[in-house]
Amino acid sequence: MNSPSRSLPSSGLPAATSVAIIGAGRVGGVLAAALRQAGLTVHGPFGRGETIPMVEVALLCVPDSAIADASAAVRDRVRYVGHVSGATPLDDVDFSIHPLQTFTGSESPDIFLGIGAAVAGRTPADTYLAEQLARALGARPFEIDAAHRAGYHAAASFASNFVLTVLDAAEQLAASAGIPDDEARDLLAPLIRRTVDNWQSMGATASLTGPIARGDEVTIARQRAAVDEADPALTSLFDALATATRAVAGQKAAV
């Protein structure tokens, strides 16, 4: 593959498309397995610094800070370079595809089926390639422009990372009430799932219940005192969440 050209078929992604996965972390291994399952010719995942074969596409599954160096290292061996970062611009790559999912590295390749995948490209052809890779995974591609990448990624952090912070606090408070950790998770999980289901179908404002939604400040004060007694480090989190939740309740009252 000397002097790689940058042509693409007019539609679809041929099964013979060759892809090298750079980075063997939580995403790289699962992504390689999923693309291989989709019938593409997949090499890797490779560790950073390893020499990759001549391929059409290199997908960088590396930390954001390593994208520039990883791209430069493979640029002369590929037609297209993409990354899977949600927030990083396209300065050093041709396209990006960000699966809107959380990964531990132990997932089945089927984890991509039906999920969203944020895509972007420097050119229409680059964007098209990202879309076709997303569809090969069984994901649903949607475009995010450069100006909104950080905001989109922050939304993902709120929906996943910050939720875990709140759930960890719930688990700690349940433990302070005498409920063992594993039992607390089993008891709280149905409440969490129902809350998410309600949010998905109706949105936060219509789904909000509890003392803040009722304007029950006496109960809220009791909760705050209990949090402060159990773990003062959680009090500021309780206060911040209560303030934000009052704003959600206010939207409900204004409807």
Side-chain angles (χ1 to χ4, degrees):
M1 190 182 298
N2 297 321
S3 301
S5 66
R6 288 173 54 78
S7 60
L8 275 177
S10 59
S11 64
L13 194 64
T17 299
S18 56
V19 181
I21 305 296
I22 316 300
R26 293 183 177 186
V27 178
V30 181
L31 186 60
L35 289 174
R36 198 170 280 124
Q37 180 173 279
L40 303 186
T41 301
V42 180
H43 303 272
F46 295 95
R48 278 179 281 167
E50 289 189 74
T51 301
I52 69 168
M54 300 289 275
V55 293
E56 292 169 286
V57 180
L59 265 179
L60 308 180
C61 304
V62 300
D64 291 4
S65 61
I67 287 173
D69 288 344
S71 177
V74 302
R75 179 58 79 176
D76 63 345
R77 305 187 67 79
V78 303
R79 288 185 176 135
Y80 296 88
V81 180
H83 66 53
V84 298
S85 169
T88 305
L90 305 184
D91 298 345
D92 300 295
V93 298
D94 304 307
F95 71 92
S96 69
I97 172 171
H98 178 253
L100 191 52
Q101 184 56 280
T102 181
F103 295 90
T104 65
S106 61
E107 292 82 7
S108 158
D110 292 340
I111 192 171
F112 294 97
L113 298 179
I115 70 169
V119 299
R122 285 175 172 267
T123 69
D126 296 334
T127 303
Y128 175 82
L129 173 58
E131 290 172 347
Q132 294 307 310
L133 284 169
R135 291 192 174 101
L137 291 167
R140 182 176 69 185
F142 60 95
E143 287 192 54
I144 293 291
D145 62 38
H148 297 105
R149 291 184 69 84
Y152 152 74
H153 202 243
S157 290
F158 269 88
S160 179
N161 307 144
F162 296 166
V163 166
L164 288 176
T165 300
V166 171
L167 294 181
D168 183 65
E171 190 175 338
Q172 291 179 56
L173 292 169
S176 73
I179 305 173
D181 290 351
D182 54 349
E183 187 176 351
R185 289 193 294 272
D186 287 341
L187 292 171
L188 291 169
L191 172 62
I192 297 161
R193 294 190 183 100
R194 182 63 177 174
T195 301
V196 171
D197 288 344
N198 289 345
W199 166 77
Q200 183 178 9
S201 63
M202 299 186 296
T205 302
S207 303
L208 185 64
T209 63
I212 291 178
R214 297 192 301 270
D216 185 353
E217 293 296 332
V218 173
T219 297
I220 297 166
R222 288 194 184 115
Q223 289 181 338
R224 187 185 188 282
V227 170
D228 199 49
E229 181 180 356
D231 187 348
L234 293 177
T235 306
S236 60
L237 177 61
F238 179 91
D239 290 342
L241 291 171
T243 297
T245 304
R246 286 188 180 95
V248 175
Q251 294 170 13
K252 186 173 186 177
V255 174

